[in-house]
Amino acid sequence: MTPDDEHLLISASIGRRARNKRDKQDRIFQAASALFAGHGYSAVTTQMVAEQADVGTGTLFRYAGSKAELLMMVMNEQMRIDTRRGVVAADSSASPTEAILALLAPQIEASQAYPENTAVYQREILFGTEQGQYRLEALARISELEDAIGDILERFARASRVRDGVDLSAAARTIFSTLHMELIRVSLGRVDSLTLAATLSSHVEALLYGVLAPA
């Protein structure tokens, strides 16, 4: 066997391993997504996910170390998609409040459709002990949403005046934090999920009053 032949065999072997790894990860993701959506977090076990993904539990734990990490894997992707949808919807909005609510609408819809999963996800972001890739990815998803809010504020600041001493990036973080806390209040049963949009609208209006002034 020539060195070139040996190199081709090694490359093919590495390629097969990479494809197998991606295939298993995709199956685990699809299984976890379906089970969490269909049954809710508390009713799902890691064994159920492993069986539906057709992998052993040992293999499953190489991709996600716990049930909480499996949920974060699923919810991180959902949050990424929801943020993209919200950005598109916000682009055609006529006011900063309307734009921010359009951006947040997919997040609100997800919390109403899957309240338990949303509650656990928010809890893991705030208080979770997991420090792996999925928690880091969750923090990145939050940063993306905050940046999108900041972009909206920047866009409307061109037609308004930013009040003295206001940092638009800090204002964007405050608006996201309001969403975050309202989602937690909903999960604790302190706020009706059906009134979440109206509640956020009033909060955003109040926050924007302190950010943007008439030109």
Side-chain angles (χ1 to χ4, degrees), residues 1-208:
M1 180 182 293
T2 67
D4 285 343
D5 291 336
E6 186 176 353
H7 177 72
L8 288 172
L9 284 173
I10 292 171
S11 297
S13 177
I14 292 171
R16 280 195 300 273
R17 285 200 297 271
R19 287 194 298 273
N20 288 336
K21 184 177 181 181
R22 284 196 301 270
D23 177 63
K24 288 176 184 175
Q25 188 166 22
D26 287 344
R27 297 204 314 266
I28 290 168
F29 176 84
Q30 295 299 332
S33 296
L35 289 166
F36 286 133
H39 303 285
Y41 181 79
S42 60
V44 175
T45 66
T46 53
Q47 183 64 40
M48 290 167 63
V49 176
E51 288 176 358
Q52 185 152 323
D54 194 24
V55 299
T57 53
T59 298
L60 176 72
F61 289 130
R62 286 202 293 271
Y63 292 88
S66 65
K67 186 168 78 166
E69 281 206 334
L70 282 171
L71 180 73
M72 294 191 81
M73 175 200 299
V74 170
M75 296 294 286
N76 285 343
E77 177 61 11
Q78 186 61 53
M79 189 172 182
R80 184 188 70 81
I81 293 170
D82 287 346
T83 299
R84 300 295 189 276
R85 286 176 52 211
V87 167
V88 171
D91 281 345
S92 59
S93 300
S95 73
T97 299
E98 182 184 323
I100 290 170
L101 290 176
L103 172 67
L104 299 180
Q107 315 286 340
I108 296 171
E109 291 166 8
S111 73
Q112 292 170 337
Y114 308 108
E116 183 188 16
N117 296 344
T118 301
V120 175
Y121 184 57
Q122 300 295 329
R123 184 190 71 201
E124 288 298 318
I125 290 173
L126 281 175
F127 308 115
T129 58
E130 307 282 0
Q131 297 297 324
Q133 69 179 91
Y134 299 117
R135 191 165 191 278
L136 292 175
E137 186 180 342
L139 297 177
R141 297 289 82 78
I142 289 172
S143 293
E144 286 180 0
L145 189 55
E146 289 176 345
D147 289 346
I149 296 171
D151 290 343
I152 290 171
L153 296 179
E154 291 280 1
R155 173 157 61 95
F156 285 97
R158 299 182 197 126
S160 303
R161 179 178 66 82
V162 179
R163 295 189 188 277
D164 294 341
V166 170
D167 181 321
L168 291 183
S169 295
R173 289 195 298 273
T174 300
I175 291 170
F176 171 79
S177 296
T178 300
L179 168 67
H180 197 78
M181 293 310 298
E182 288 301 327
L183 288 174
I184 292 172
R185 281 160 58 83
V186 167
S187 72
L188 294 173
R190 296 179 182 173
V191 177
D192 185 345
S193 65
L194 298 179
T195 66
L196 180 57
T199 301
L200 279 175
S201 178
S202 64
H203 285 319
V204 170
E205 285 280 6
L207 290 166
L208 289 179

